Amino acid sequence: MIKNKKILVVGAGGFIGGHLVKRLLNDENFIIATDIKPKEYWFQDFEKTKNYYSMDMKEIDNCRKVTKNVDYVFNMACNMGGMGFIENNKAECMQSVLINTNLLIASKENKIKRYFFSSSACAYNKNKQQDVFIKGLKEKDAYPADPEDGYGWEKLFSERMCRHFMEDYGIEIRIARYHNIYGPFGTYDGGREKAPAALCRKIINAKKNNEDKIDVWGDGKQTRSFLYIDDCIEGTIRLFESDYSEPVNIGSDEQVSINQMIDIIENISKVKKLKRDYQLDKPKGVRGRSSNNDLVKEVLNWSYEIKLKDGLKKTFDWMSNEISKRGSNINRFTKS
Ligand code: GDD
């Protein structure tokens, strides 16, 4: 267990970053937390830490300030979202390269012991994701390089930047390739939401408004695997503590089509079967994607536990409560 360490979490105001801070605080670490969003827009609030800063980590001076006297750095920060965001904001997504680069330089200068980079399944070669059901992606499938345009190129390039900082300067590196992480405190409206949250929201709203139809992007046959946030955090901590420095999948191998995921959410919500209005002109991304977990099992002796239907139930219940508290379609996380 990581305990009694001084840890910088960059992107602490985001979805995964927020859950990570919570866990590291519970494990009795001293946390310095940063995010570009003003504090009132962070996804979670941490009473135990007073050391949080709203700052742009694309600026090297900010990176230098917060890496002083720190043991470990977790870089969970990037400008991201689901397909609706990354497909329409490629230049924005690629600028996150400045965060990782300047954070690595500052970490080297301030002699950080270990550095974590949150990469993505978007780093994988697109040609290996053209069929509806695919074999899970193995870590080597990122090469030859042909990742998701914009966001995926930034992730792959930044992985390599990490690797060279390890080779040339001796910083210990850990890299996770996350596969569509979902759960409570994730974005569910405003344009950055991923499919699990977007479809839970649509079904909650259809039920509330007595509508018999929802919009679905694409033909619904495209596949993904989705990992519940608690498993993501457990895998992240275990990877960080391991001695493995190459990229590792942190994902699920429970591959479902978007239609199958909608079936699961309809069951949870107890609505009658809704009509599906397939919108073929909306962002679709790759045709099929899933995680191969051989390597994670081998190096961490660990596998995720939460099945999609159980994770979706927790997410659905959380979101129903949020929507009844705040109202739906409130753009609560993207204001600045
Ligand atoms: N977002 C969203 N909203 N997607 C929908 C919807 C909807 O209402 N309806 C259907 N989909 C479909 C999309 O068209 C896409 O084919 C699939 O659901 C998955 O979409 P997302 O969850 O938005 O993105 P992704 O799985 O292609 O990529 C996400 O995960 C990656 C890691 O695996 C993104 O968040 C990436 O940024 C991330 O790296």
Side-chain angles (χ1 to χ4, degrees), residues 57 59-67 99 102-103 106 110:
M57 299 296 280
E59 304 289 336
I60 193 158
D61 287 344
N62 288 336
C63 295
R64 287 189 170 122
K65 245 179 255 165
V66 288
T67 46
I99 303 174
N102 286 329
L103 202 49
N110 285 321

Side-chain angles (χ1 to χ4, degrees), residues 80-83 86 120-122 151 178-180 193-195 198-199 202 216-217 222 224 258 283-284 289:
M80 73 88 67
M83 277 321 296
I86 64 173
S120 162
C122 287
Y151 182 79
Y178 291 136
H179 288 248
N180 210 319
E193 61 277 15
K194 292 178 273 178
L199 294 165
K202 288 176 185 181
V216 179
W217 296 359
Q222 67 272 45
R224 295 291 186 276
I258 295 302
K284 295 180 285 290
R289 175 178 287 161

Side-chain angles (χ1 to χ4, degrees), residues 118-160:
S118 52
S119 186
S120 162
C122 287
Y124 283 111
N125 186 312
K126 291 198 296 288
N127 288 323
K128 299 178 181 177
Q129 305 172 74
Q130 289 182 339
D131 296 327
V132 168
F133 273 91
I134 62 157
K135 281 194 184 153
L137 293 158
K138 292 192 174 181
E139 284 74 1
K140 66 177 175 46
D141 291 330
Y143 295 96
D146 186 14
E148 188 109 26
D149 212 0
Y151 182 79
W153 274 106
E154 190 280 318
K155 289 296 185 189
L156 196 63
F157 179 88
S158 289
E159 285 186 2
R160 296 187 74 87

Side-chain angles (χ1 to χ4, degrees), residues 18 119 191 207 309:
S119 186
K207 190 174 174 185
K309 70 171 175 38

